[in-house]
Amino acid sequence: MALSGKIAVVTGAAMGIGKAITEILLQNGATVALLDVNEPAAKALMDELQNKNEKDRALFLKCDVESEEQIQAAFQKTIETFGRVDILCNNAGIVDETNWKKTISINLEAVISGTYLALEHMNKMTGGQGGVIVNTASMTGVYPVQGCPVYTATKHGVVGFTRAMAINSTASGYGIRLNAICPGPVKTELLNNSSLKLGQFSPLQQSANQILEVMGILSASDVAEAVLELVTDETKNGEALVILGKGKHFVAFPSM
Ligand SMILES: NC(=O)C1=CN([C@@H]2O[C@H](COP(=O)(O)OP(=O)(O)OC[C@H]3O[C@@H](n4cnc5c(N)ncnc54)[C@H](O)[C@@H]3O)[C@@H](O)[C@H]2O)C=CC1
Ligand SMILES: CCCCCC(=O)/C=C/C=C\C=C\C=C\[C@@H](O)[C@@H](O)CCCC(=O)O
């Protein structure tokens, strides 16, 4: 898929991996609606884009993905402004093993809401033009990590939901590809603060640190490059791409 003229929606776009996804999509010619709850961070990014003459292809929409109404309003504004949606990156996520219901709400429920809203607008069976959805899972969506059982559960859910929806799309003719990106540790605010967010499992933090030593640490741009691969490679549907400091691989799931 060539990106020039394509319209993308990215959630959690103001910082970290979402910011890097936004930047690489813009660099490759796409137009991006940036959805985020952090208005100051988003405005700072928009100022950066202004300096790179990319601001006219970027639209910040304040949106808390915990609110289905706010996601719907952001989609509506995107379509009113740019005409359609071709690409969706459900990227917003948190780690919080104490407020674990919020973690489920943002990391999994919002991915489902965003995907279903995108279907309404992208589905070829209902007048859409098709497209691609990349959901940000994690290595914890494939390999359980001590210290963050609910986070791990949400990311397993993102992988399973994405793979099931990819099968649905093929079977139903939606014309939409769905893939999951499963990064290891990435140098972002989320990772920096993660050791404070393990709640009752904080004593297990050392095991998480060991993952860092074994797996290596990624930059947000490393992840964005892998997301670009999933967006542009039209042979990829229903994949879970694990990317670690030491390399990347598509998960080989057991066949039924
Ligand atoms: N940093 C890491 O080591 C890894 C992160 N991930 C996943 O990557 C995604 C992005 O994480 P990072 O860039 O590391 O985090 P980050 O904390 O650096 O950035 C997350 C962005 O999402 C936004 N956000 C948070 N809650 C939101 C909400 N309710 N509505 C709208 N926006 C919201 C934040 O304002 C922020 O701009 C998450 O889904 C995370 O689980 C996956 C694997 C590794
Ligand atoms: C434990 C929360 C994980 C959230 C990110 C994810 O999806 C997967 C991460 C995999 C390993 C995480 C290791 C975390 C180590 C922390 O305890 C902390 O030491 C990291 C500090 C960041 C740094 O050293 O650069």
Side-chain angles (χ1 to χ4, degrees), residues 21 48 53 82 85 99 142 149 172 176 188 194 201 223-224 231 253:
I21 292 171
E48 287 177 37
N53 296 319
F82 300 119
V85 176
N99 191 349
V142 184
S172 307
I176 299 170
T188 69
S194 60
F201 305 109
V223 180
V231 166
F253 292 97

Side-chain angles (χ1 to χ4, degrees), residues 36-49:
D36 206 298
V37 71
N38 185 332
E39 198 160 10
K43 288 187 171 175
L45 174 54
M46 292 298 283
D47 289 345
E48 287 177 37
L49 298 177

Side-chain angles (χ1 to χ4, degrees), residues 45-99:
L45 174 54
M46 292 298 283
D47 289 345
E48 287 177 37
L49 298 177
Q50 174 77 44
N51 299 334
K52 293 191 280 186
N53 296 319
E54 290 174 335
K55 191 170 183 179
D56 62 339
R57 286 186 289 114
L59 171 68
F60 167 58
L61 297 169
K62 186 173 182 181
C63 174
D64 180 345
V65 298
E66 289 199 83
S67 163
E68 199 157 354
E69 291 74 23
Q70 290 189 36
I71 303 177
Q72 190 147 21
F75 263 87
Q76 203 51 47
K77 185 66 178 173
T78 301
I79 289 164
E80 285 168 9
T81 307
F82 300 119
R84 67 182 192 281
V85 176
D86 302 297
I87 302 162
L88 170 63
C89 295
N90 286 305
N91 168 77
I94 66 167
V95 178
D96 192 334
E97 292 297 322
T98 299
N99 191 349

Side-chain angles (χ1 to χ4, degrees), residues 12 15 17 36 63-65 91 93 136-137 151 155 183-184 186 188 190:
M15 292 169 59
I17 293 168
D36 206 298
C63 174
D64 180 345
V65 298
N91 168 77
T136 304
Y151 180 86
K155 297 304 185 178
V186 187
T188 69
L190 178 143

